[in-house]
């Protein structure tokens, strides 16, 4: 029986992780759950899964929850509670399902304890790729990607020698604006940007999909997860999202992993790897789907994707600046304060403004994140 | 330096195997080559690769060759020479590139010696699947498929537990008659049948592709290679022949192997496995290919495919009858003696006529093959 801690159990990945765990009660036990502030959902999850700990980031929401009848589950709060859960409580697998930069510190705690990290929180590797990679090696931790693209690559690499990789090919749906041109993008609404054709996800990642910043973050994530240089990471548009990603080997052979767009599969794989467990997911029928198409992305239109490749070249804290600027810009866009095309502009401005620190330690990364946010928030 | 014997070096697979080996002189040495009667090509191959032995099945062609200046290469002849090469000469890998039933006996010799067999000769497993499987286990031999479909499946299974397989999905181009209906098939010409859209192969296999008997033989081959029941082997039409085949796992994940239709890749993989060696094959660009399509096969139109599933259910010598009847019928079609639609009819008649022997030994298989050929040859 493996013990599982879920960072971010009220989000899209967290809820799906619990959907997976609900069906595998013989194999897994949920020992801790964390949320930002959604205590109503957390209360239900506590009642069903009976974890020993739960963490609510928001202090007043935590107080509210403590007043309710939730059995023996200990409620912790704030950043301190989050770090305590990751650093001190007993678990085998940490599911990193938080969104954005906030997942970094607790993930590092799990890595330092040599745990398995089922990582959906791509920002962690984007901002602190070198640090996490070094710590993972040092402490014998195991990072299994939960992103469908990286899970696909991970699966394609099972049993293969990493030196045989020639190229990683990340597929991208192209998002809701696939058929719009650069000019159109200036006037798209929040509602349009949130209308992803294939995947149901949280707001932040859905906007990132529309701008293709999500794919850009995935390029950086793939670089760190698989040790592949950016020249050998290709992005292709595949609107049906059936082929989740591919690996091309030095002998010209390509392996791909396919399936319906459903996050439960990569989540379960990250939990059960190297085993695969039988489930009743609906099967993927290529004959019903009929047609798969592929074309090259337009880097002029998807400027965020170009910026992601750029920061991977620059290294140091540049990816951290990109990520922080993007988080703030997306928030501004979601609140209707800026238009969609301003997202890459704000990121470019932040990259111009912020100094790049090479080989940053965790403090330097936190500092860079804070300063970048401050700067982008200050922009009109 | 691995020593390689090629059974059938003048055929399409044999020539491609030598094309692969020509580029890997550090890793491989060709020690023996065999042909049926094409001594002019064999002479060139001997001069280039300098094997210690060569076998010519046709006795008078062998005599002719012996009169030419071919250095120290010893020329053997007939079935006896073939068996001697497989059973007595020194090699590490036997490339089974002969077409049809004739590859069976020498392949068995290689298996009995615990060698690696790079198997393109699918008829071997079709007629003697149980026997070969048992001998492979007993003698610790290794069968690596060279058929692009089975190589794809083999590659998808690298690092995976065979118990995790839910289904094997073989892709089929649909051949030159994809857009013809059952009625049309009665009047197709030999030239039309030999005009395969994607693959350049020998005549026999090209006709088998047009009738989809080739896919039927592959279903039977997959059953023996991977230990999968026929209910879990699916055939889908994929006209572009880019996805070479797929494996669906119990957790719903599907892995596929892709590439341009070029036999050099699976041949090289079977030689170098588990390593992959860098080569200058042209890369596969999905964005250039653009579109991949998939649909279900019409079993009424492709009656040979249905017959293959049927003999897999019946077992015993039924697959041997199917194979022998098909070989003779295809020969008759190629000579213009029968029409295309008669191929499955002749096979059905043979299956009605011949008694099924369960668990046949090699003698029973040879006997069944001989009797079936006699019967089908006798048909008007």
């Amino acid at each position: 029986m493996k013990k599982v801690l879920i960072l971010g159990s009220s989000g899209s990945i967290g809820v799906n992780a619990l959907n997976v765990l609900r069906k595998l009660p013989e194999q897994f036990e949920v020992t801790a759950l964390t949320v930002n502030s959604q205590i109503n959902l957390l209360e239900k999850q506590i009642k069903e899964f009976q974890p020993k700990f739960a963490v609510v980031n928001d202090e007043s929401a935590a107080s509210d929850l403590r007043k309710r009848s939730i059995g023996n589950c200990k409620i912790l709060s704030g950043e301190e509670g989050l770090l305590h859960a990751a650093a001190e409580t007993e678990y085998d697998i940490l599911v990193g399902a938080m969104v954005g930069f906030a997942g970094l510190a607790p993930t590092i705690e799990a890595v330092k304890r040599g745990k398995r990290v089922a990582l959906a929180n791509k920002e962690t590797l984007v901002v602190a790729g070198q640090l996490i990679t070094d710590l993972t090696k040092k402490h014998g931790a195991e990072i299994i990607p939960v992103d469908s693209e990286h899970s696909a690559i991970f699966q394609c690499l099972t049993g293969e020698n990493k030196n045989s990789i020639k190229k990683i090919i990340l597929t991208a749906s192209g998002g809701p604006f696939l058929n719009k041109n650069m000019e159109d993008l200036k006037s798209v609404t929040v509602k349009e940007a949130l209308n992803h054709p294939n995947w149901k996800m949280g707001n932040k990642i859905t906007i990132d999909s529309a701008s293709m910043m999500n794919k850009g973050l995935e390029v950086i994530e793939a670089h760190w997860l698989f040790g592949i240089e950016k020249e050998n990471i290709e992005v292709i548009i595949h609107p049906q999202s059936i082929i989740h990603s591919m690996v091309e080997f030095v002998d010209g052979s390509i392996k791909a992993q396919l399936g319906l767009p459903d996050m439960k599969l990569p989540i379960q794989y990250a939990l059960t790897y190297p085993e695969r467990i039988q489930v009743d997911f609906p099967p993927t029928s290529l004959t019903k789907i009929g047609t798969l198409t592929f074309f090259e992305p337009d880097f002029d239109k998807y400027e965020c994707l170009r910026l992601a490749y750029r920061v991977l070249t620059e290294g140091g804290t540049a990816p951290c600046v990109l990520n922080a600027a993007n988080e703030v810009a997306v928030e501004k866009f979601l609140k209707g304060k800026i238009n969609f095309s301003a997202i890459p502009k704000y990121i470019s401005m932040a990259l111009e403004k912020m100094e790049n620190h090479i080989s940053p330690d965790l403090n330097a990364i936190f500092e860079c994140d804070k300063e970048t946010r401050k700067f982008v928030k200050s922009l009109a």
Side-chain angles (χ1 to χ4, degrees), chain A:
Chain A
M1 183 81 96
K2 294 253 171 80
K3 296 184 169 67
V4 180
L5 181 163
I6 300 180
L7 287 183
S9 68
S10 61
S12 151
I13 298 287
V15 167
N16 266 316
L18 289 171
N19 287 340
V20 166
L21 292 164
R22 181 179 292 118
K23 300 214 171 170
L24 303 171
E26 309 282 307
Q27 289 93 342
F28 298 100
E29 177 189 352
V30 176
T31 55
L33 297 171
T34 88
V35 302
N36 185 38
S37 61
Q38 292 195 48
I39 54 169
N40 290 340
L41 178 54
L42 178 61
E43 187 184 357
K44 280 186 204 151
Q45 293 175 341
I46 292 172
K47 282 178 178 158
E48 179 179 356
F49 291 95
Q50 309 199 332
K52 294 193 179 76
F53 297 89
V55 184
V56 183
N57 186 47
D58 184 279
E59 298 284 354
S60 79
S63 299
D64 272 7
L65 184 62
R66 287 195 188 96
K67 291 171 197 150
R68 302 184 191 177
S69 160
I70 42 158
N72 294 322
C73 180
K74 193 171 172 193
I75 308 297
L76 309 171
S77 61
E79 218 167 282
E80 206 182 322
L82 205 58
L83 284 179
H84 177 83
E88 308 288 340
T89 72
E90 203 188 326
Y91 62 90
D92 303 296
I93 304 173
L94 177 139
V95 178
M98 289 171 73
V99 177
F101 185 84
L104 176 58
T107 301
I108 284 185
E109 294 303 326
V111 169
K112 280 185 181 166
R113 293 173 73 190
K115 304 292 186 190
R116 172 177 292 193
V117 176
L119 191 68
N121 176 237
K122 65 193 76 175
E123 290 84 350
T124 296
L125 278 175
V126 169
V127 302
Q130 186 68 61
L131 204 67
I132 300 265
T133 305
D134 293 347
L135 288 171
T136 300
K137 272 185 204 149
K138 184 174 168 191
H139 298 282
E142 199 183 16
I143 297 190
I144 317 275
V146 166
D147 246 348
S148 67
E149 290 80 357
H150 302 83
S151 177
I153 293 162
F154 189 89
Q155 290 181 56
C156 289
L157 290 177
T158 307
E160 300 282 354
N161 184 333
K162 280 198 181 171
N163 297 329
S164 302
I165 304 174
K166 184 176 171 188
K167 196 162 77 176
I168 280 176
I169 303 162
L170 291 168
T171 55
S173 70
F177 302 146
L178 181 58
N179 299 316
K180 292 201 184 289
N181 61 31
M182 271 178 73
E183 200 50 39
D184 293 339
L185 289 188
K186 288 182 183 161
S187 57
V188 294
T189 66
V190 171
K191 200 180 155 193
E192 287 172 316
L194 286 175
N195 184 28
H196 195 277
N198 304 334
W199 292 95
K200 286 191 179 181
M201 305 175 290
N203 284 355
K204 156 75 166 53
I205 189 172
T206 305
I207 300 302
D208 283 349
S209 290
S211 70
M212 277 190 75
M213 177 55 90
N214 185 49
K215 208 53 52 179
L217 298 176
E218 285 175 12
V219 169
I220 302 173
E221 191 186 1
H223 165 76
W224 291 112
L225 277 172
F226 306 112
I228 302 298
E229 292 311 310
K230 72 174 205 309
E231 292 74 17
N232 300 320
I233 304 174
E234 187 182 336
V235 171
I236 66 175
I237 307 269
H238 167 45
Q240 298 81 21
S241 297
I242 295 298
I243 294 189
H244 295 319
S245 277
M246 292 174 261
V247 177
E248 182 177 332
F249 296 95
V250 291
D251 64 356
S253 181
I254 296 178
K255 272 160 86 170
Q257 189 268 339
L258 296 74
L260 294 175
D262 185 333
M263 286 308 297
K264 289 201 287 296
L265 202 155
I267 293 169
Q268 175 173 306
Y269 187 76
L271 293 168
T272 66
Y273 168 82
E275 270 188 79
R276 295 182 180 274
I277 292 182
Q278 180 126 28
V279 280
D280 55 358
F281 297 154
T284 308
S285 166
L286 281 180
T287 56
K288 275 190 193 146
I289 294 161
T291 304
L292 303 180
T293 58
F294 309 89
F295 43 93
E296 286 181 11
D298 175 350
F299 281 84
D300 290 330
K301 176 174 150 190
Y302 294 116
E303 217 184 319
C304 287
L305 184 56
R306 179 180 280 154
L307 288 168
Y309 274 100
R310 172 182 150 189
V311 300
L312 196 46
T313 311
E314 292 175 3
T317 47
C320 178
V321 172
L322 171 106
N323 179 66
N326 181 58
E327 284 193 30
V328 177
V330 168
E331 225 175 282
K332 286 191 180 217
F333 171 69
L334 282 169
K335 286 181 180 158
K337 289 185 183 165
I338 62 174
N339 73 32
F340 190 73
S341 313
I343 297 173
K345 278 194 200 111
Y346 278 33
I347 299 168
S348 296
M349 287 164 79
L351 286 168
E352 292 307 310
K353 174 76 178 178
M354 308 303 294
E355 202 183 326
N356 192 0
H357 298 271
I358 300 302
S359 302
D361 60 13
L362 197 55
N363 281 336
I365 292 167
F366 273 94
E367 191 59 26
C368 168
D369 180 74
K370 207 177 78 184
E371 291 302 316
T372 305
R373 283 169 199 268
K374 207 168 116 186
F375 169 71
V376 182
K377 277 179 188 158
S378 76
L379 294 172

